[in-house]
């Protein structure tokens, strides 16, 4: 599989779009790239960088599970050029970890974090999940206080969501567990905002927070709706107007690479591009720049500004000049607000919105399986290169 992905990369490198590109970030993640033998992963990185050169100061992120972290692995990752680790802690409570079917314990999570920090990685992110049926307020505050004082410089905090065809969804359907409770999640999101503000962190995206100057450069490219190139099973590509994707099935993907089959795709019109800009930028602290929007979608902006003013009257939106962003209370309604502002057949009355049942669009938090993703983006056009796989299965979860 890795060789097929490298072959696809070589072919993409020969296209006009990517032949002269030097990339400024590389992202390996989405689940469990750390399960790959460190030496094998290091060799893959070496070969990939030979195909797509990286800038000297490129951000190279690896997502890791706590039970895959040890001193040898950390040293190998560092030697391979990885300079940012995203550690899937999820919780520091053993009961919650067992409920999420995580293979590591709280002690292993703490040990792995200490190993990474002592190894000298320039940047370490921690993933945490809140809003689940076993996540008490006391447990959530304990984890937040620990993280903000642990030495990590970035936190990704996701509300537990009920995804279709997952073990959690089945347990809810059969009545063994309750669905995520709206008020419970909203309260814990408020706790996150308060603790981050007290710690002086930059809550720059609804689900992502960083010490000042430590935003995730690669993920920020996604949230700014910038183009990306996708490699591997199920991987999607987007050049700003056209979206394409690879087959999801392992065998079909390998056959497509071998035979040089063209990817499926769709051309995005002005409304679709506008909607994607709206959805991603609204999640950012900086929000929507209406002056910029007028240059690209002048016909859409008057109605947008009218709806934003209505939201401002409800204290869900704030503005400075022509920059409109969600207030703290508005972030609780982010998905619904975005849906109401989009250019679709029938508009949603944003004045009558309910609070989001799901605060963010994070996927995979309750999946039992895992997957592997690699990504990279250019510093000008900021494309991204990514693939996802496990040793035996391939899956896709778009929306990093």
């Amino acid at each position: 599989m890795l060789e097929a992905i490298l072959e696809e990369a070589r072919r993409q490198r020969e296209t006009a779009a990517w032949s002269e590109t030097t990339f400024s970030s590389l992202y390996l993640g989405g689940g469990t790239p750390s399960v790959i033998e460190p030496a094998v992963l290091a060799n893959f990185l070496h070969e990939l960088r030979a195909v797509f050169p990286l800038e000297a100061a490129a951000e190279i992120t690896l997502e890791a599970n706590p039970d895959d972290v040890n001193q040898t692995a950390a040293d190998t990752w560092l030697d391979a050029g990885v300079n940012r680790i995203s550690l899937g802690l999820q919780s520091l409570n053993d009961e919650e970890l067992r409920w999420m079917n995580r293979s590591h314990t709280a002690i292993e999570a703490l040990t792995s974090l200490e190993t990474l920090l002592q190894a000298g990685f320039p940047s370490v992110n921690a993933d945490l999940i809140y809003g689940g049926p076993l996540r008490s307020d006391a447990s959530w505050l304990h984890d937040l206080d620990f993280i903000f004082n642990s030495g990590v410089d970035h936190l990704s905090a996701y509300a537990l969501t009920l995804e279709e065809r997952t073990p959690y969804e089945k347990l809810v359907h059969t009545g063994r567990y309750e669905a995520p409770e709206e008020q419970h999640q909203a309260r814990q999101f408020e706790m996150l905002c308060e603790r981050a503000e007290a710690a002086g962190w930059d809550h720059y995206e609804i689900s992502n927070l960083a010490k000042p100057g430590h935003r995730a450069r690669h993920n920020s490219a996604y949230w700014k709706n910038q183009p990306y190139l996708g490699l591997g099973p199920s991987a999607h590509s987007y050049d700003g107007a056209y979206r394409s994707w690879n087959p999801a099935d392992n065998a079909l993907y390998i056959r497509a690479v071998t035979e040089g089959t063209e990817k499926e795709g769709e051309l995005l019109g002005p409304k679709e591009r506008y909607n994607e800009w709206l959805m991603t930028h609204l999640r950012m602290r900086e929000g929507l720049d209406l002056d910029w929007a007028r240059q690209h979608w002048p016909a859409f902006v008057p109605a947008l500004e009218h709806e934003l003013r209505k939201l401002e009257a409800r204290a869900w939106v704030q503005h400075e000049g022509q920059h409109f962003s969600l207030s703290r209370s508005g972030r609780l309604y982010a998905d619904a607000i975005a849906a109401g502002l989009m250019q679709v057949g029938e508009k949603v009355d944003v004045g009558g919105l309910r609070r989001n049942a799901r605060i963010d669009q994070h996927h995979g938090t309750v999946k039992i399986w895992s997957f592997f993703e690699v990504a990279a983006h250019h510093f000008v056009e900021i494309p991204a290169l990514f693939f996802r796989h496990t040793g035996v299965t391939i899956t896709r979860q778009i929306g990093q």
Side-chain angles (χ1 to χ4, degrees):
M1 179 58 71
L2 292 180
E3 183 52 44
I5 292 168
L6 287 171
E7 178 58 28
E8 186 188 3
R10 296 183 190 106
R11 292 183 181 180
Q12 289 292 335
R13 185 62 172 175
E14 295 173 356
T15 65
W18 308 109
S19 60
E20 301 297 327
T21 303
T22 298
F23 292 84
S24 61
S25 80
L26 181 67
Y27 192 99
L28 301 94
T32 54
S34 57
V35 301
I36 296 177
E37 179 67 30
V40 174
L41 185 60
N43 183 65
F44 173 78
L45 274 172
H46 174 75
E47 294 191 49
L48 187 63
R49 295 175 72 173
V51 179
F52 287 110
L54 297 176
E55 295 177 355
E59 176 187 272
I60 304 178
T61 303
L62 169 71
E63 282 195 7
N65 280 339
D67 41 338
D68 295 326
V69 176
N70 55 59
Q71 194 61 55
T72 299
D75 291 342
T76 303
W77 297 335
L78 271 172
D79 290 343
V82 175
N83 52 30
R84 185 174 184 271
I85 295 288
S86 184
L87 188 62
L89 298 178
Q90 316 309 350
S91 172
L92 298 177
N93 180 284
D94 283 332
E95 184 181 10
E96 294 168 16
L97 290 171
R98 285 193 297 269
W99 183 85
M100 288 186 282
N101 203 36
R102 301 295 295 183
S103 57
H104 67 272
T105 66
I107 291 297
E108 288 172 331
L110 295 172
T111 301
S112 65
L113 182 58
E114 183 179 5
T115 298
L116 294 172
L117 292 172
Q118 292 185 352
F121 285 94
S123 180
V124 176
N125 168 70
D127 274 5
L128 291 178
I129 297 174
Y130 64 92
L134 299 187
R135 174 65 96 172
S136 68
D137 291 350
S139 165
W140 181 229
L141 290 175
H142 169 272
D143 288 6
L144 289 177
D145 289 341
F146 173 82
I147 290 300
F148 288 138
N149 293 282
S150 66
V152 305
D153 57 15
H154 194 281
L155 169 64
S156 296
Y158 302 112
L160 183 70
T161 59
L162 187 62
E163 300 290 340
E164 294 182 357
R165 297 184 298 277
T166 63
Y168 182 34
E169 192 268 346
K170 183 177 180 180
L171 291 170
V172 170
H173 182 72
T174 57
R176 294 181 60 186
Y177 285 108
E178 295 182 358
E181 203 277 319
E182 180 179 331
Q183 297 296 329
H184 178 59
Q185 292 196 339
R187 184 175 63 255
Q188 293 191 350
F189 180 74
E190 290 284 356
M191 293 175 181
L192 170 67
C193 296
E194 292 169 1
R195 283 299 203 267
E197 183 176 358
W201 280 45
D202 176 14
H203 196 163
Y204 68 101
E205 196 269 349
I206 288 179
S207 299
N208 288 271
L209 311 90
K211 288 183 177 179
H214 290 273
R215 293 188 180 190
R217 299 194 336 242
H218 178 84
N219 290 350
S220 293
Y222 288 127
W223 299 321
K224 293 177 181 178
N225 196 34
Q226 294 169 341
Y228 52 85
L229 166 67
L231 300 176
S234 288
H236 282 50
S237 300
Y238 173 63
D239 65 4
Y242 186 77
R243 175 171 288 111
S244 59
W245 52 88
N246 287 332
D249 179 79
N250 289 19
L252 291 178
Y253 166 71
I254 293 174
R255 183 188 306 168
V257 172
T258 302
E259 298 176 355
T261 305
E262 187 174 347
K263 299 180 180 184
E264 295 184 64
E266 60 182 352
L267 182 65
L268 302 183
K271 286 186 178 180
E272 289 77 16
R273 295 197 300 274
Y274 167 83
N275 288 342
E276 296 209 357
W277 166 79
L278 183 72
M279 179 179 64
T280 54
H281 282 68
L282 199 60
R283 294 178 61 85
M284 301 290 291
R285 180 168 60 80
E286 289 78 10
L288 307 174
D289 182 350
L290 296 197
D291 283 337
W292 186 90
R294 288 187 183 91
Q295 299 174 26
H296 295 81
W297 306 287
F300 300 158
V301 174
L304 172 62
E305 184 170 8
H306 174 72
E307 296 297 334
L308 288 171
R309 296 292 183 182
K310 289 165 63 177
L311 292 167
E312 186 177 23
R314 299 181 66 111
W316 291 346
V317 163
Q318 57 200 7
H319 84 281
E320 182 175 346
Q322 287 297 294
H323 284 262
F324 287 77
S325 61
L326 295 176
S327 64
R328 181 184 293 184
S329 60
R331 286 183 167 193
L332 295 171
Y333 300 83
D335 293 342
I337 288 174
L341 296 174
M342 286 181 178
Q343 287 288 328
V344 292
E346 280 191 37
K347 296 291 292 179
V348 176
D349 179 8
V350 297
L353 295 178
R354 293 179 62 251
R355 175 176 293 161
N356 291 1
R358 45 190 291 174
I359 295 175
D360 59 61
Q361 296 291 340
H362 179 67
H363 298 285
T365 57
V366 295
K367 300 288 192 290
I368 297 304
W369 63 82
S370 57
F371 47 87
F372 176 34
E373 168 190 288
V374 157
H377 63 77
H378 183 252
F379 77 102
V380 176
E381 297 185 18
I382 315 191
L385 161 73
F386 66 91
F387 64 90
R388 296 177 164 94
H389 76 90
T390 63
V392 293
T393 62
I394 293 178
T395 184
R396 172 174 64 88
Q397 299 292 326
I398 295 300
Q400 188 71 6

